[in-house]
Amino acid sequence: MMVYVHLIFLSIFLPASVISESYDAIEGEALVVRCPNNDLSAKVTWYHTDTRKRIPEEEEGSRVFSKEMFLWFLPTSLEDSGNYTCLINYPDGSQKGRKMNVQVHPCKQGMCFPSRILYANETRKGKISCPTFKNYENATIVQWYKDCKPLQGERYFMHDPYIFIENLNKEDDGYYTCRFTYTHRGRVFNVSATRIFISEEKHSSLPVQILFPKDEDVIEVELGAAFSLKCQARLGIKKQPVAVVTWDVNKMPAEYADEGKINQEVIYFEGEHQEFYGEATLTISNIEHTDLQSSFSCVAMNEMGNTRITVTLRLKEKCPQ
């Protein structure tokens, strides 16, 4: 009976679009996801959001398991990517659900950190903390990197979970990756996490990154129906002097497309950690066969340069009768 009660609360507290936090990890490393709950007296239960299947506590040989407010992946696998729910049961009988997104990136030769950076930092103090480090007990940082190059020199002083930088200058801005080891039941796991460091409180451009959709995606549509294509790109830290996110249709700007049928709306906004984003929405009022033969390219640009991805459309397959 308690399981069904939990599922009822999950449907109440977890709208499909609400993500409390996101975690990125590299395939084959350890990952600990923390439920955002500050009440230590509350009981936390973990679920697979899509299947509503409960994640049990650790058993001998478990790879994915729950332990109080933590969800463990020892180690991660590509199949772990998805949404997870922690259901918080408070002593007064009330409940709250939080949805966490996990994205496991393939381990590629020469890759220093996942392409999606979620841990942003803006400071003048010259102290950079290692993201997620405190979720692991008895962890030890092995090496710090800046833009994938090992940090060395008298200007850098490491004291877990921080690295301190003396005599800051603009060249210190960039991506900082900490790599550390974590030992569990005699097994040693590697962990890496990256954050952005900005030495001055002003805008800083980053290499343009289109977050979605992915290049060469094929998107299903229905003939005669209206459809919207969204493209979101990260352009830097704080408002950018050069910021463009827009759609091209068949290599022509969207504004030159069929005006009565295709429209575009663009917005720009700052994220939780002052990341600056642009989002372009291309709306097609009526999908026709000609649209299935068209290419749709999202173009994003800032001071550092530009990038583009291209997607195509296809008819949604009908379910067999």
Side-chain angles (χ1 to χ4, degrees):
M1 181 65 181
M2 183 60 68
V3 172
Y4 293 106
V5 172
H6 283 178
L7 295 183
I8 292 173
F9 278 104
L10 282 172
S11 64
I12 293 174
F13 285 108
L14 295 171
S17 61
V18 177
I19 298 290
S20 295
E21 290 186 26
S22 297
Y23 285 77
D24 281 70
I26 297 177
E27 177 187 13
E29 294 190 351
L31 175 65
V32 179
V33 175
R34 181 188 178 100
C35 182
N37 168 43
N38 295 323
D39 187 346
L40 298 180
S41 63
K43 179 178 174 59
V44 176
T45 308
W46 286 90
Y47 294 87
H48 292 278
T49 304
D50 295 334
T51 63
R52 307 287 178 88
K53 184 178 180 181
R54 183 172 177 173
I55 300 173
E57 295 185 358
E58 184 180 17
E59 298 178 355
E60 186 68 29
S62 297
R63 188 182 66 82
V64 180
F65 58 90
S66 62
K67 185 178 180 182
E68 299 173 347
M69 68 178 66
F70 297 103
L71 178 63
W72 296 76
F73 300 84
L74 297 177
T76 55
S77 172
L78 293 177
E79 65 190 28
D80 297 329
S81 294
N83 295 324
Y84 298 82
T85 296
C86 58
L87 186 66
I88 308 166
N89 300 275
Y90 295 100
D92 63 3
S94 62
Q95 293 181 313
K96 180 180 292 185
R98 296 293 184 89
K99 186 160 71 172
M100 320 295 288
N101 177 260
V102 170
Q103 184 65 43
V104 180
H105 301 258
C107 182
K108 298 180 180 179
Q109 186 69 27
M111 184 179 73
C112 181
F113 51 81
S115 59
R116 198 168 107 192
I117 304 299
L118 297 177
Y119 307 107
N121 187 39
E122 178 112 358
T123 180
R124 292 180 176 180
K125 299 177 181 179
K127 181 175 75 172
I128 307 172
S129 63
C130 180
T132 74
F133 181 83
K134 293 183 179 180
N135 290 354
Y136 302 80
E137 297 179 0
N138 302 318
T140 302
I141 294 181
V142 176
Q143 179 69 58
W144 277 91
Y145 300 80
K146 177 183 181 294
D147 300 332
C148 295
K149 297 179 181 179
L151 276 179
Q152 297 175 342
E154 297 180 354
R155 294 178 58 232
Y156 306 108
F157 171 70
M158 186 172 69
H159 181 72
D160 294 353
Y162 303 102
I163 188 166
F164 298 86
I165 307 174
E166 295 182 352
N167 303 318
L168 281 175
N169 57 63
K170 188 63 179 175
E171 293 181 357
D172 292 316
D173 293 0
Y175 298 97
Y176 284 78
T177 302
C178 54
R179 288 195 173 165
F180 56 95
T181 58
Y182 166 72
T183 303
H184 181 79
R185 297 185 180 274
R187 294 183 62 191
V188 178
F189 298 91
N190 294 318
V191 187
S192 59
T194 300
R195 76 181 329 138
I196 303 166
F197 176 75
I198 306 298
S199 59
E200 300 174 357
E201 291 193 10
K202 61 181 182 181
H203 86 271
S204 179
S205 296
L206 298 171
V208 179
Q209 180 185 0
I210 295 178
L211 303 178
F212 60 82
K214 301 299 183 186
D215 192 30
E216 298 184 355
D217 271 356
V218 179
I219 301 171
E220 293 188 334
V221 295
E222 296 181 357
L223 281 178
F227 185 75
S228 292
L229 277 170
K230 284 186 179 290
C231 176
Q232 187 178 107
R234 190 198 63 204
L235 303 171
I237 302 297
K238 293 193 173 183
K239 186 176 180 179
Q240 301 292 298
V242 177
V244 176
V245 180
T246 187
W247 282 98
D248 285 354
V249 181
N250 294 326
K251 300 183 179 180
M252 295 289 291
E255 55 263 33
Y256 298 125
D258 188 338
E259 186 174 347
K261 175 184 172 182
I262 297 178
N263 294 287
Q264 177 177 244
E265 180 181 352
V266 181
I267 60 172
Y268 297 94
F269 58 94
E270 285 192 12
E272 180 181 357
H273 301 290
Q274 298 183 308
E275 310 98 325
F276 192 71
Y277 297 96
E279 184 176 279
T281 303
L282 189 74
T283 301
I284 306 173
S285 62
N286 178 26
I287 294 292
E288 300 175 336
H289 281 288
T290 54
D291 299 316
L292 306 178
Q293 301 165 3
S294 299
S295 64
F296 300 87
S297 299
C298 178
V299 182
M301 180 173 66
N302 67 4
E303 289 178 309
M304 297 184 68
N306 64 79
T307 188
R308 118 180 0 241
I309 61 94
T310 299
V311 302
T312 54
L313 309 180
R314 74 178 178 194
L315 288 182
K316 185 179 296 185
E317 296 182 0
K318 295 183 179 180
C319 296
Q321 299 297 323

